[in-house]
Amino acid sequence: LQGLLKEIADNPGIRLSDESLRERELEPARIRRWFKKHHGITFQAYLRALRINHAFGQIKHQDKVTDIAFDSGYESLSGFNHAFKNLIGLSPSKSRTQQVITVNRLLTPLGPIFAAATDEGICLLEFCDRRMLETQFKRLVKLLNAQVVPGEHPLLKQLDKELKAYFAGQLIDFKVPLDIPGTEFQTKVWQKLLEIPYSETRSYQQQAQNIQQPTATRAVAKANGDNRISIIIPCHRVIGKNGQLTGYGGGLWRKKRLLELEQGKIKYRDNQLIDLTR
């Protein structure tokens, strides 16, 4: 489906019927199943969300709503207004101050991952099978007073490139900006996570000492678990006092792989693991 996904990404206003899919030698039923499984919505709903997300960006830049409606393929302004309000929660004319979180699904060697961005930065990066994923989205929507919309975003494209370089063993420091609202304590803990050098580890107790609260080990562990930006904010670099791998929302097997990658024991090429210890 890579050709279709690229075409959609390059043309956010595109409309594709079942006949159009067959012309591309794609089976519509298969496309519907794939989008339902990986995005939780139908293919046509995904296309509508892309069009509205693109229109939202134009409205934020003061373009005329009427022009945007017809450019988005709607035959009437009322139809566009109805679709826009259903997705964003506000009418187009009242949405200029509304925040939107753009979410997409990226592929990594450790499995698919949901990435979300505002115009300020990446606000979520979680593996798709994480149990707390739905809770994290709900918290984020409340914290940012925003609406989640599937689609493309320049920061998500930058993130995808950086993740590919990271897994290939070619990137140590991520450059993509972050948008990480949280409590004062959470922010302090997350900042200390960012300060753990690549390929090194710290214990929860050491992290508590680093924030000048040596008795707050459990609170630090909880703040680690509340981290919504996996890999970039490297909670995988925090281990138990005895050196054991503990407490990783993405699964301990992923934590082990990430540490092995950073310690130069493995790397990935075309999503295939290469064991460098042999």
Side-chain angles (χ1 to χ4, degrees), residues 39 49-50 95 117 219 234:
H39 290 283
L50 283 185
S95 68

Side-chain angles (χ1 to χ4, degrees), residues 198 256-267 273-278:
Y198 182 89
K256 179 175 182 291
R257 287 290 188 231
L258 290 171
L259 291 175
E260 288 175 339
L261 172 69
E262 295 181 359
Q263 291 164 2
K265 297 177 181 179
I266 63 171
K267 67 177 180 178
L273 185 148
I274 299 172
D275 189 341
L276 301 176
T277 62
R278 293 182 180 178

Side-chain angles (χ1 to χ4, degrees), residues 1-271:
L1 302 181
Q2 289 300 322
L4 176 66
L5 295 175
K6 184 178 187 307
E7 183 178 7
I8 292 170
D10 293 341
N11 303 278
I14 196 170
R15 290 173 178 265
L16 293 171
S17 63
D18 284 359
E19 182 179 352
S20 299
L21 292 174
R22 292 191 185 97
E23 289 174 355
R24 290 164 173 77
E25 299 183 350
L26 296 169
E27 175 53 47
R30 181 192 172 209
I31 302 300
R32 285 192 289 270
R33 286 194 301 270
W34 191 89
F35 274 84
K36 192 68 176 176
K37 177 181 178 181
H38 296 291
H39 290 283
I41 56 177
T42 66
F43 177 59
Q44 293 301 329
Y46 184 84
L47 292 183
R48 285 195 295 273
L50 283 185
R51 291 196 295 271
I52 294 298
N53 190 15
H54 182 64
F56 177 83
Q58 292 177 293
I59 290 171
K60 295 280 281 187
H61 288 91
Q62 309 298 318
D63 289 357
K64 292 182 179 179
V65 173
T66 303
D67 293 341
I68 295 168
F70 292 113
D71 288 344
S72 300
Y74 287 87
E75 296 180 357
S76 68
L77 184 59
S78 61
F80 173 74
N81 286 341
H82 179 73
F84 191 98
K85 190 171 183 179
N86 278 347
L87 190 62
I88 303 298
L90 295 170
S91 65
S93 60
K94 295 181 179 179
S95 68
R96 298 191 191 278
T97 59
Q98 174 70 29
Q99 176 88 290
V100 161
I101 299 168
T102 302
V103 63
N104 213 327
R105 177 179 172 276
L106 307 178
L107 297 178
T108 79
L110 300 183
I113 196 166
F114 274 122
T118 66
D119 288 340
E120 300 299 318
I122 301 300
C123 57
L124 181 137
L125 187 64
E126 294 276 25
F127 288 100
C128 293
D129 56 0
R130 186 179 182 186
R131 292 184 179 181
M132 280 188 64
L133 185 60
E134 185 177 354
T135 300
Q136 293 286 40
F137 268 118
K138 288 179 179 178
R139 287 177 181 172
L140 198 56
V141 165
K142 186 175 181 180
L143 284 167
L144 295 175
N145 188 28
Q147 181 71 30
V148 176
V149 179
E152 297 289 338
H153 193 285
L155 291 179
L156 295 181
K157 292 181 180 180
Q158 179 183 345
L159 172 62
D160 191 33
K161 290 180 180 178
E162 292 188 9
L163 282 173
K164 284 181 170 62
Y166 169 81
F167 280 107
Q170 300 167 352
L171 182 142
I172 293 177
D173 296 315
F174 287 86
K175 304 301 182 185
V176 66
L178 303 178
D179 187 2
I180 46 174
T183 66
E184 182 179 351
F185 182 80
Q186 287 174 330
T187 302
K188 190 183 298 183
V189 171
W190 297 340
Q191 183 58 45
K192 287 301 177 183
L193 285 174
L194 286 167
E195 294 175 10
I196 302 176
Y198 182 89
S199 82
E200 295 186 17
T201 59
R202 298 286 186 272
S203 69
Y204 292 102
Q205 187 175 32
Q206 286 175 314
Q207 286 299 92
Q209 292 169 346
N210 287 339
I211 64 169
Q212 310 301 316
Q213 293 182 238
T215 61
T217 302
R218 289 187 178 181
V220 165
K222 184 179 186 306
N224 273 17
D226 289 334
N227 171 32
R228 292 179 293 273
I229 313 286
S230 64
I231 303 177
I232 301 177
I233 299 181
C235 51
H236 61 275
R237 295 177 192 162
V238 182
I239 60 177
K241 186 178 179 180
N242 58 1
Q244 295 295 310
L245 301 187
T246 59
Y248 189 63
L252 289 183
W253 71 274
R254 287 194 177 107
K255 186 170 189 170
K256 179 175 182 291
R257 287 290 188 231
L258 290 171
L259 291 175
E260 288 175 339
L261 172 69
E262 295 181 359
Q263 291 164 2
K265 297 177 181 179
I266 63 171
K267 67 177 180 178
Y268 294 88
R269 182 180 299 149
D270 298 327
N271 282 348

